[in-house]
Amino acid sequence: MKVTCTAISDVMVIEPKVFGDARGFFTESFNQKLFNEATGTQFDFVQDNHSRSSKGVLRGLHYQLPPHAQGKLVRVTSGAVWDVAVDIRQGSPTFGQWVAETLTEDNHKQFWIPPGFAHGFLVLSDTADFLYKTTAYYAPHSDRGIAWNDADIGIQWPDLGVDFLLSDKDRKQHAFKNAEVFAA
C-alpha cells in the first residue's frame, strides 16, 4: 500500500495494491495491521457505512464531537466523487483549511480523514457507491455540521453544470465561525 500525505499531513491518500489482468482485478481493500503501520496510527474501525448517490449530490460537511469523534477511511466502489476534509481542530496550524481528492472506482484511492475534521463529498458521475469505515459509532447527540459553501472555508467545489442536491439537514448547517469545533 502506498500512503501519501496531503497538504494537511494528518489527512492521507491511501492506494492499495491492485492486481489486474484480463479477468478483472483483486485488491485487499483493508488490512488493520498494514493501515496502522502505513499511517502511523492506532485506530480501530467499528462501523462500515455505504451510500449510493446520483450526480450532483453533495453530502456534508459532517463530523462528530468527542467523545464520539470519528475518523473515516473512505473509498468509492462505483462511480466517482470529489471528497473533502476540513481541519476543525482549534490551535492546529491548518485550522479552517481544506484538502480534497478525487476517488473513483478505477483509481481505487482511499482517503483517511482522522478525528478533528469535517467531511463532505460531491458525486461527479451519474451514480456513485461510497463506502467508509469509522473509528466510532454514529452518535446523534454528537453529530454536527458546517455549511458546505461557507465563505470563510472557501471550498472550490467542481462545477458540474447542475444544481447540487443537498439534504434539508445540509442546507441548514452552521457557518464555520458559529460551529462547535474541536478544542485546542
Side-chain angles (χ1 to χ4, degrees):
M1 127 180 6
K2 177 182 171 189
V3 176
T4 306
C5 291
T6 66
I8 301 175
S9 62
D10 293 334
V11 179
M12 301 172 202
V13 177
I14 298 172
E15 297 177 71
K17 290 182 182 176
V18 179
F19 304 94
D21 59 26
R23 300 169 298 159
F25 73 88
F26 170 83
T27 187
E28 185 176 71
S29 60
F30 182 74
N31 178 308
Q32 184 76 61
K33 181 177 181 261
L34 293 178
F35 175 84
N36 290 353
E37 290 171 0
T39 62
T41 64
Q42 291 297 313
F43 290 102
D44 290 321
F45 293 90
V46 299
Q47 183 175 319
D48 284 359
N49 301 309
H50 182 161
S51 70
R52 176 173 291 151
S53 304
S54 57
K55 184 174 185 172
V57 168
L58 192 152
R59 297 184 187 266
L61 301 162
H62 304 148
Y63 59 98
Q64 288 188 175
L65 291 173
H68 305 286
Q70 290 181 321
K72 297 177 182 177
L73 180 62
V74 303
R75 66 189 178 107
V76 170
T77 59
S78 174
V81 307
W82 194 70
D83 202 70
V84 177
V86 179
D87 189 345
I88 59 170
R89 303 170 297 173
Q90 281 185 330
S92 166
T94 55
F95 180 69
Q97 295 179 28
W98 60 274
V99 291
E101 187 70 29
T102 300
L103 309 175
T104 73
E105 65 184 281
D106 295 325
N107 70 19
H108 302 279
K109 289 181 179 180
Q110 299 176 13
F111 209 30
W112 165 238
I113 303 159
F117 287 79
H119 171 253
F121 67 90
L122 173 65
V123 178
L124 305 174
S125 53
D126 288 339
T127 61
D129 281 342
F130 187 82
L131 284 73
Y132 53 107
K133 305 178 90 50
T134 64
T135 61
Y137 296 106
Y138 176 66
H141 56 282
S142 292
D143 186 32
R144 299 293 186 276
I146 298 170
W148 66 276
N149 58 351
D150 185 275
D152 290 335
I153 298 172
I155 297 171
Q156 300 297 308
W157 297 96
D159 182 0
L160 302 180
V162 299
D163 290 335
F164 295 157
L165 303 170
L166 289 98
S167 68
D168 286 339
K169 171 185 169 181
D170 288 342
R171 275 192 214 94
K172 299 174 184 173
Q173 294 292 10
H174 295 284
F176 182 53
K177 65 184 174 188
N178 298 326
E180 291 180 77
V181 295
F182 282 62

